[in-house]
Amino acid sequence: MTETAVYAAGGVVWRVVEGKLMVLAIHRTAYADVTLPKGKVDPGETLAETAVREIFEETGIRVRLGIPVGISRYRTPSRRQKIVHYWAAHATDDAIRASAFVPNREIAALEWITPKKALTHLSYPVDVEIIENFLRFVDDGILETFPIVVLRHAKATARENWKGADAARPLTDRGAREAQAVVGPLSAFGVRKIISSDAVRCVSTVTPLAAALGRRITQTALLSQDAWEAGESDARAVVGKRVRSGKPAVLCSHGPVLPDILHELALATGTLRGSYLGSASALETGSFSVVHLSSTNPGSGIVAIETHDPKP
């Protein structure tokens, strides 16, 4: 992020009503315009967290993020550049029923409209471009998706400073902060299943997430570095099960094992391999890549990959 730009995030919030796709537009009170839900990043917040928070604050609807659908850039009245990241976000029936939205000083009304109507109804060309991006996925048969998140464990005590078994190396103070920092953004993507290498540094990395979600951690040696170094790891078995389940999950593992996990995700989904896999697996400690897969169209392969580095 640059010092001069204003960063924000939001979403194309969608639902299907009687077989018809609808997206959510907001009518803003002060500006008398029609736009997509979005807002500025709060200090210490990641873009993914901002998108979920702002959608909830403006609409009362709690969502999890789907595929990224574009970035808009424009100048504010003060001439500062504003950069807004958008994701698709499914509004479930339960989430809509739970919304406590009432018209207020910021938002005058919410309106569910077809994407086609949104192209002429929205007030700003940058919003129209985001809807056009969203529709390209829809036209390809990709709407409902689920993420498999590949997470590198947080910073651990260095091998040379540890006299016990390598798998027992604990997180450093920095690592503990990194483990806390991933909770918000991983929650934003709706992660529910937590699978981890059985090494202490991996389990400790996802422990705060498990506590926040009220979920247990499934530990496995199949993703461990010890097994990888012994030629006994099996990322294929773990990845295959997660792809078949179609449920949002995080796989926490080690730097040397991550390329195998991404490779197996490509193979399991029939996706052409390329340099993007290397980029997605070259993660710093406490960073993660989100691999988006179609829930209804397995032939789509990997729909999108995005990498996040939520440093504390």
Side-chain angles (χ1 to χ4, degrees), residues 19-276:
K20 181 178 291 188
L21 177 63
M22 311 288 281
V23 297
L24 187 61
I26 62 172
H27 293 248
R28 295 194 297 180
T29 306
Y31 298 95
D33 60 8
V34 183
T35 184
L36 299 172
K38 66 180 182 299
K40 290 187 291 187
V41 175
D42 280 347
E45 194 175 48
T46 65
L47 289 162
E49 291 173 282
T50 299
V52 171
R53 176 183 57 76
E54 284 289 343
I55 290 169
F56 177 70
E57 289 181 0
E58 294 191 341
T59 72
I61 300 172
R62 293 192 183 277
V63 299
R64 70 168 178 87
L65 301 182
I67 50 176
V69 291
I71 303 171
S72 67
R73 294 175 172 85
Y74 55 94
R75 293 286 174 181
T76 65
S78 64
R79 303 307 300 161
R80 294 182 69 185
Q81 185 182 41
K82 190 167 186 178
I83 301 173
V84 189
H85 291 244
Y86 288 93
W87 284 266
H90 181 202
T92 66
D93 290 342
D94 287 344
I96 293 169
R97 280 193 292 268
S99 172
F101 171 82
V102 293
N104 53 69
R105 287 183 297 177
E106 183 180 359
I107 309 298
L110 306 180
E111 184 179 12
W112 288 102
I113 54 179
T114 65
K116 183 177 180 180
K117 183 176 180 180
L119 296 175
T120 57
H121 203 52
L122 292 169
S123 299
Y124 305 108
V126 288
D127 288 348
V128 171
E129 290 177 7
I130 296 300
I131 293 293
E132 288 173 341
N133 292 341
F134 171 73
L135 284 174
R136 290 188 185 98
F137 287 104
V138 175
D139 290 343
D140 286 340
I142 300 163
L143 182 59
E144 189 171 351
T145 61
F146 69 97
I148 294 180
V149 181
V150 181
L151 168 68
R152 185 178 179 186
H153 66 75
K155 183 69 175 177
T157 300
R159 278 191 177 187
E160 57 268 27
N161 298 329
W162 179 252
K163 305 209 181 287
D166 181 69
R169 281 194 286 135
L171 298 183
T172 62
D173 289 344
R174 170 185 153 190
R177 293 192 298 272
E178 290 176 348
Q180 289 290 342
V182 302
V183 173
L186 288 179
S187 299
F189 287 102
V191 165
R192 304 302 290 167
K193 184 73 175 179
I194 304 170
I195 298 125
S196 173
S197 157
D198 57 4
V200 167
R201 56 192 182 275
C202 287
V203 175
S204 298
T205 297
V206 292
T207 293
L209 175 67
L213 298 179
R215 297 273 168 163
R216 69 181 183 87
I217 301 167
T218 300
Q219 300 182 36
T220 175
L222 299 179
L223 298 179
S224 74
Q225 187 163 338
D226 282 351
W228 182 85
E229 291 176 351
E232 298 171 353
S233 62
D234 193 353
R236 175 167 295 184
V238 178
V239 166
K241 186 174 182 179
R242 297 326 322 154
V243 171
R244 290 192 299 273
S245 77
K247 303 295 183 183
V250 59
L251 310 179
C252 184
S253 190
H254 311 259
V257 189
L258 301 183
D260 287 357
I261 296 174
L262 268 297
H263 174 80
E264 292 301 336
L265 276 166
L267 289 178
T269 56
T271 308
L272 291 174
R273 288 171 286 168
S275 60
Y276 71 95

